[in-house]
PDB file of all heavy atoms in Angstrom:
ATOM      1  N   LYS A 516      70.544 -78.995   5.873  1.00 97.00           N
ATOM      2  CA  LYS A 516      71.042 -79.654   7.120  1.00 97.00           C
ATOM      3  C   LYS A 516      72.125 -80.499   6.780  1.00 97.00           C
ATOM      4  O   LYS A 516      72.262 -81.105   5.695  1.00 97.00           O
ATOM      5  CB  LYS A 516      69.840 -80.553   7.686  1.00 97.00           C
ATOM      6  CG  LYS A 516      68.536 -79.743   7.873  1.00 97.00           C
ATOM      7  CD  LYS A 516      68.578 -79.048   9.233  1.00 97.00           C
ATOM      8  CE  LYS A 516      67.272 -78.515   9.592  1.00 97.00           C
ATOM      9  NZ  LYS A 516      66.856 -77.315   9.093  1.00 97.00           N
ATOM     10  N   PRO A 517      73.098 -80.534   7.752  1.00 97.00           N
ATOM     11  CA  PRO A 517      74.307 -81.545   7.491  1.00 97.00           C
ATOM     12  C   PRO A 517      73.694 -82.908   7.803  1.00 97.00           C
ATOM     13  O   PRO A 517      72.626 -83.049   8.189  1.00 97.00           O
ATOM     14  CB  PRO A 517      75.149 -81.131   8.686  1.00 97.00           C
ATOM     15  CG  PRO A 517      74.254 -80.649   9.709  1.00 97.00           C
ATOM     16  CD  PRO A 517      73.157 -79.927   8.997  1.00 97.00           C
ATOM     17  N   LYS A 518      74.511 -83.856   7.172  1.00 96.00           N
ATOM     18  CA  LYS A 518      73.969 -85.365   7.120  1.00 96.00           C
ATOM     19  C   LYS A 518      73.585 -85.853   8.540  1.00 96.00           C
ATOM     20  O   LYS A 518      72.853 -86.656   8.766  1.00 96.00           O
ATOM     21  CB  LYS A 518      74.706 -86.205   6.286  1.00 96.00           C
ATOM     22  CG  LYS A 518      76.202 -86.354   6.768  1.00 96.00           C
ATOM     23  CD  LYS A 518      76.900 -87.322   5.812  1.00 96.00           C
ATOM     24  CE  LYS A 518      78.369 -87.658   6.229  1.00 96.00           C
ATOM     25  NZ  LYS A 518      79.065 -86.582   7.057  1.00 96.00           N
ATOM     26  N   GLU A 519      74.268 -85.233   9.603  1.00 97.00           N
ATOM     27  CA  GLU A 519      74.145 -85.697  10.852  1.00 97.00           C
ATOM     28  C   GLU A 519      72.865 -85.222  11.523  1.00 97.00           C
ATOM     29  O   GLU A 519      72.468 -85.667  12.653  1.00 97.00           O
ATOM     30  CB  GLU A 519      75.233 -85.213  11.865  1.00 97.00           C
ATOM     31  CG  GLU A 519      76.700 -85.509  11.335  1.00 97.00           C
ATOM     32  CD  GLU A 519      77.201 -84.612  10.401  1.00 97.00           C
ATOM     33  OE1 GLU A 519      76.794 -83.474  10.353  1.00 97.00           O
ATOM     34  OE2 GLU A 519      78.032 -85.050   9.570  1.00 97.00           O
ATOM     35  N   ALA A 520      72.155 -84.243  10.822  1.00 98.00           N
ATOM     36  CA  ALA A 520      71.005 -83.699  11.513  1.00 98.00           C
ATOM     37  C   ALA A 520      69.701 -84.155  10.900  1.00 98.00           C
ATOM     38  O   ALA A 520      69.684 -84.673   9.725  1.00 98.00           O
ATOM     39  CB  ALA A 520      70.934 -82.075  11.517  1.00 98.00           C
ATOM     40  N   THR A 521      68.469 -84.002  11.575  1.00 98.00           N
ATOM     41  CA  THR A 521      67.273 -84.365  11.038  1.00 98.00           C
ATOM     42  C   THR A 521      66.935 -83.356   9.900  1.00 98.00           C
ATOM     43  O   THR A 521      66.985 -82.223  10.157  1.00 98.00           O
ATOM     44  CB  THR A 521      66.213 -84.362  12.141  1.00 98.00           C
ATOM     45  OG1 THR A 521      66.567 -85.216  13.211  1.00 98.00           O
ATOM     46  CG2 THR A 521      64.761 -84.780  11.657  1.00 98.00           C
ATOM     47  N   VAL A 522      66.509 -83.940   8.750  1.00 98.00           N
ATOM     48  CA  VAL A 522      66.183 -83.065   7.586  1.00 98.00           C
ATOM     49  C   VAL A 522      64.814 -82.392   7.799  1.00 98.00           C
ATOM     50  O   VAL A 522      63.950 -82.882   8.514  1.00 98.00           O
ATOM     51  CB  VAL A 522      66.373 -83.861   6.349  1.00 98.00           C
ATOM     52  CG1 VAL A 522      65.152 -84.855   6.242  1.00 98.00           C
ATOM     53  CG2 VAL A 522      66.485 -83.032   5.087  1.00 98.00           C
ATOM     54  N   GLY A 523      64.649 -81.240   7.279  1.00 97.00           N
ATOM     55  CA  GLY A 523      63.419 -80.489   7.347  1.00 97.00           C
ATOM     56  C   GLY A 523      62.464 -80.799   6.143  1.00 97.00           C
ATOM     57  O   GLY A 523      62.884 -81.430   5.215  1.00 97.00           O
ATOM     58  N   THR A 524      61.253 -80.426   6.312  1.00 97.00           N
ATOM     59  CA  THR A 524      60.250 -80.519   5.246  1.00 97.00           C
ATOM     60  C   THR A 524      59.227 -79.457   5.346  1.00 97.00           C
ATOM     61  O   THR A 524      59.260 -78.743   6.370  1.00 97.00           O
ATOM     62  CB  THR A 524      59.737 -82.037   4.947  1.00 97.00           C
ATOM     63  OG1 THR A 524      59.071 -82.076   3.665  1.00 97.00           O
ATOM     64  CG2 THR A 524      58.768 -82.376   6.027  1.00 97.00           C
ATOM     65  N   LEU A 525      58.277 -79.453   4.364  1.00 95.00           N
ATOM     66  CA  LEU A 525      57.252 -78.321   4.362  1.00 95.00           C
ATOM     67  C   LEU A 525      56.371 -78.279   5.623  1.00 95.00           C
ATOM     68  O   LEU A 525      55.995 -79.336   6.078  1.00 95.00           O
ATOM     69  CB  LEU A 525      56.725 -78.116   3.022  1.00 95.00           C
ATOM     70  CG  LEU A 525      55.400 -78.949   2.814  1.00 95.00           C
ATOM     71  CD1 LEU A 525      54.804 -78.495   1.413  1.00 95.00           C
ATOM     72  CD2 LEU A 525      55.579 -80.525   2.693  1.00 95.00           C
ATOM     73  N   LEU A 526      56.018 -77.167   5.978  1.00 95.00           N
ATOM     74  CA  LEU A 526      55.136 -76.840   7.094  1.00 95.00           C
ATOM     75  C   LEU A 526      53.683 -77.221   6.947  1.00 95.00           C
ATOM     76  O   LEU A 526      53.053 -77.941   7.707  1.00 95.00           O
ATOM     77  CB  LEU A 526      55.329 -75.363   7.567  1.00 95.00           C
ATOM     78  CG  LEU A 526      54.410 -74.895   8.703  1.00 95.00           C
ATOM     79  CD1 LEU A 526      54.834 -75.490  10.049  1.00 95.00           C
ATOM     80  CD2 LEU A 526      54.455 -73.370   8.757  1.00 95.00           C
ATOM     81  N   GLY A 527      53.144 -76.921   5.745  1.00 92.00           N
ATOM     82  CA  GLY A 527      51.765 -77.079   5.409  1.00 92.00           C
ATOM     83  C   GLY A 527      50.885 -76.069   6.181  1.00 92.00           C
ATOM     84  O   GLY A 527      51.471 -75.303   7.075  1.00 92.00           O
ATOM     85  N   PRO A 528      49.593 -76.011   5.870  1.00 91.00           N
ATOM     86  CA  PRO A 528      48.715 -74.918   6.347  1.00 91.00           C
ATOM     87  C   PRO A 528      48.161 -75.181   7.692  1.00 91.00           C
ATOM     88  O   PRO A 528      47.231 -74.392   8.175  1.00 91.00           O
ATOM     89  CB  PRO A 528      47.717 -74.778   5.270  1.00 91.00           C
ATOM     90  CG  PRO A 528      47.594 -76.177   4.772  1.00 91.00           C
ATOM     91  CD  PRO A 528      48.889 -76.770   4.847  1.00 91.00           C
ATOM     92  N   PHE A 529      48.333 -76.277   8.349  1.00 92.00           N
ATOM     93  CA  PHE A 529      47.532 -76.669   9.459  1.00 92.00           C
ATOM     94  C   PHE A 529      48.256 -76.514  10.861  1.00 92.00           C
ATOM     95  O   PHE A 529      47.704 -76.976  11.878  1.00 92.00           O
ATOM     96  CB  PHE A 529      46.988 -78.113   9.199  1.00 92.00           C
ATOM     97  CG  PHE A 529      46.068 -78.326   8.109  1.00 92.00           C
ATOM     98  CD1 PHE A 529      46.521 -79.105   6.982  1.00 92.00           C
ATOM     99  CD2 PHE A 529      44.951 -77.620   8.119  1.00 92.00           C
ATOM    100  CE1 PHE A 529      45.585 -79.272   5.935  1.00 92.00           C
ATOM    101  CE2 PHE A 529      44.090 -77.751   6.851  1.00 92.00           C
ATOM    102  CZ  PHE A 529      44.388 -78.601   5.913  1.00 92.00           C
ATOM    103  N   HIS A 530      49.317 -75.903  10.837  1.00 93.00           N
ATOM    104  CA  HIS A 530      49.913 -75.644  12.126  1.00 93.00           C
ATOM    105  C   HIS A 530      49.091 -74.443  12.779  1.00 93.00           C
ATOM    106  O   HIS A 530      48.673 -73.466  12.009  1.00 93.00           O
ATOM    107  CB  HIS A 530      51.401 -75.172  12.020  1.00 93.00           C
ATOM    108  CG  HIS A 530      52.094 -74.865  13.373  1.00 93.00           C
ATOM    109  ND1 HIS A 530      52.349 -73.461  13.659  1.00 93.00           N
ATOM    110  CD2 HIS A 530      52.166 -75.584  14.446  1.00 93.00           C
ATOM    111  CE1 HIS A 530      52.928 -73.528  14.961  1.00 93.00           C
ATOM    112  NE2 HIS A 530      52.829 -74.788  15.318  1.00 93.00           N
ATOM    113  N   THR A 531      48.830 -74.498  14.060  1.00 92.00           N
ATOM    114  CA  THR A 531      48.191 -73.354  14.720  1.00 92.00           C
ATOM    115  C   THR A 531      49.063 -72.904  15.918  1.00 92.00           C
ATOM    116  O   THR A 531      49.897 -73.598  16.330  1.00 92.00           O
ATOM    117  CB  THR A 531      46.823 -73.855  15.356  1.00 92.00           C
ATOM    118  OG1 THR A 531      46.993 -74.773  16.379  1.00 92.00           O
ATOM    119  CG2 THR A 531      45.938 -74.454  14.184  1.00 92.00           C
ATOM    120  N   HIS A 532      48.671 -71.733  16.521  1.00 93.00           N
ATOM    121  CA  HIS A 532      49.536 -71.195  17.637  1.00 93.00           C
ATOM    122  C   HIS A 532      48.698 -71.384  18.973  1.00 93.00           C
ATOM    123  O   HIS A 532      49.074 -70.735  20.011  1.00 93.00           O
ATOM    124  CB  HIS A 532      49.797 -69.798  17.421  1.00 93.00           C
ATOM    125  CG  HIS A 532      50.854 -69.578  16.091  1.00 93.00           C
ATOM    126  ND1 HIS A 532      52.132 -69.892  16.383  1.00 93.00           N
ATOM    127  CD2 HIS A 532      50.550 -69.408  15.015  1.00 93.00           C
ATOM    128  CE1 HIS A 532      52.785 -69.696  15.230  1.00 93.00           C
ATOM    129  NE2 HIS A 532      51.780 -69.392  14.291  1.00 93.00           N
ATOM    130  N   ASP A 533      47.579 -72.205  18.970  1.00 93.00           N
ATOM    131  CA  ASP A 533      46.893 -72.424  20.244  1.00 93.00           C
ATOM    132  C   ASP A 533      47.010 -73.738  20.811  1.00 93.00           C
ATOM    133  O   ASP A 533      46.273 -74.100  21.672  1.00 93.00           O
ATOM    134  CB  ASP A 533      45.424 -72.077  19.953  1.00 93.00           C
ATOM    135  CG  ASP A 533      44.698 -73.010  18.947  1.00 93.00           C
ATOM    136  OD1 ASP A 533      45.403 -73.911  18.401  1.00 93.00           O
ATOM    137  OD2 ASP A 533      43.407 -72.977  18.804  1.00 93.00           O
ATOM    138  N   ALA A 534      48.011 -74.580  20.317  1.00 95.00           N
ATOM    139  CA  ALA A 534      48.164 -75.993  20.886  1.00 95.00           C
ATOM    140  C   ALA A 534      48.514 -75.815  22.226  1.00 95.00           C
ATOM    141  O   ALA A 534      49.114 -74.947  22.798  1.00 95.00           O
ATOM    142  CB  ALA A 534      49.394 -76.610  20.198  1.00 95.00           C
ATOM    143  N   GLU A 535      47.999 -76.740  23.164  1.00 96.00           N
ATOM    144  CA  GLU A 535      48.244 -76.791  24.544  1.00 96.00           C
ATOM    145  C   GLU A 535      49.563 -77.426  24.959  1.00 96.00           C
ATOM    146  O   GLU A 535      50.030 -78.306  24.322  1.00 96.00           O
ATOM    147  CB  GLU A 535      47.099 -77.592  25.293  1.00 96.00           C
ATOM    148  CG  GLU A 535      45.845 -76.959  25.221  1.00 96.00           C
ATOM    149  CD  GLU A 535      44.638 -77.902  25.544  1.00 96.00           C
ATOM    150  OE1 GLU A 535      44.929 -79.101  25.675  1.00 96.00           O
ATOM    151  OE2 GLU A 535      43.557 -77.407  25.608  1.00 96.00           O
ATOM    152  N   ASP A 536      50.112 -76.865  26.037  1.00 98.00           N
ATOM    153  CA  ASP A 536      51.317 -77.471  26.620  1.00 98.00           C
ATOM    154  C   ASP A 536      50.940 -78.832  27.248  1.00 98.00           C
ATOM    155  O   ASP A 536      49.995 -78.904  27.973  1.00 98.00           O
ATOM    156  CB  ASP A 536      51.980 -76.592  27.725  1.00 98.00           C
ATOM    157  CG  ASP A 536      52.688 -75.549  27.181  1.00 98.00           C
ATOM    158  OD1 ASP A 536      53.262 -75.654  26.034  1.00 98.00           O
ATOM    159  OD2 ASP A 536      52.587 -74.423  27.616  1.00 98.00           O
ATOM    160  N   LYS A 537      51.705 -79.938  26.893  1.00 98.00           N
ATOM    161  CA  LYS A 537      51.478 -81.238  27.439  1.00 98.00           C
ATOM    162  C   LYS A 537      52.584 -81.647  28.392  1.00 98.00           C
ATOM    163  O   LYS A 537      53.691 -81.236  28.385  1.00 98.00           O
ATOM    164  CB  LYS A 537      51.296 -82.271  26.244  1.00 98.00           C
ATOM    165  CG  LYS A 537      50.220 -81.819  25.338  1.00 98.00           C
ATOM    166  CD  LYS A 537      48.862 -82.222  25.648  1.00 98.00           C
ATOM    167  CE  LYS A 537      47.899 -82.094  24.510  1.00 98.00           C
ATOM    168  NZ  LYS A 537      46.571 -82.415  24.968  1.00 98.00           N
ATOM    169  N   GLN A 538      52.231 -82.722  29.228  1.00 97.00           N
ATOM    170  CA  GLN A 538      53.165 -83.298  30.121  1.00 97.00           C
ATOM    171  C   GLN A 538      53.703 -84.619  29.465  1.00 97.00           C
ATOM    172  O   GLN A 538      52.925 -85.189  28.634  1.00 97.00           O
ATOM    173  CB  GLN A 538      52.581 -83.586  31.442  1.00 97.00           C
ATOM    174  CG  GLN A 538      52.115 -82.436  32.224  1.00 97.00           C
ATOM    175  CD  GLN A 538      53.063 -81.415  32.395  1.00 97.00           C
ATOM    176  OE1 GLN A 538      54.212 -81.678  32.878  1.00 97.00           O
ATOM    177  NE2 GLN A 538      52.831 -80.186  32.138  1.00 97.00           N
ATOM    178  N   GLU A 539      54.782 -85.155  29.903  1.00 97.00           N
ATOM    179  CA  GLU A 539      55.333 -86.447  29.410  1.00 97.00           C
ATOM    180  C   GLU A 539      54.298 -87.447  29.385  1.00 97.00           C
ATOM    181  O   GLU A 539      53.647 -87.606  30.525  1.00 97.00           O
ATOM    182  CB  GLU A 539      56.582 -86.841  30.335  1.00 97.00           C
ATOM    183  CG  GLU A 539      57.260 -88.125  29.776  1.00 97.00           C
ATOM    184  CD  GLU A 539      58.123 -88.625  30.754  1.00 97.00           C
ATOM    185  OE1 GLU A 539      58.271 -88.152  31.929  1.00 97.00           O
ATOM    186  OE2 GLU A 539      58.975 -89.444  30.379  1.00 97.00           O
TER     187      GLU A 539
END
Side-chain angles (χ1 to χ4, degrees):
K516 302 285 188 278
K518 60 181 185 332
E519 305 79 29
T521 306
V522 73
T524 191
L525 82 174
L526 173 69
F529 296 117
H530 177 251
T531 68
H532 292 281
D533 64 353
E535 287 164 357
D536 285 323
K537 302 278 187 184
Q538 300 303 312
E539 184 190 16

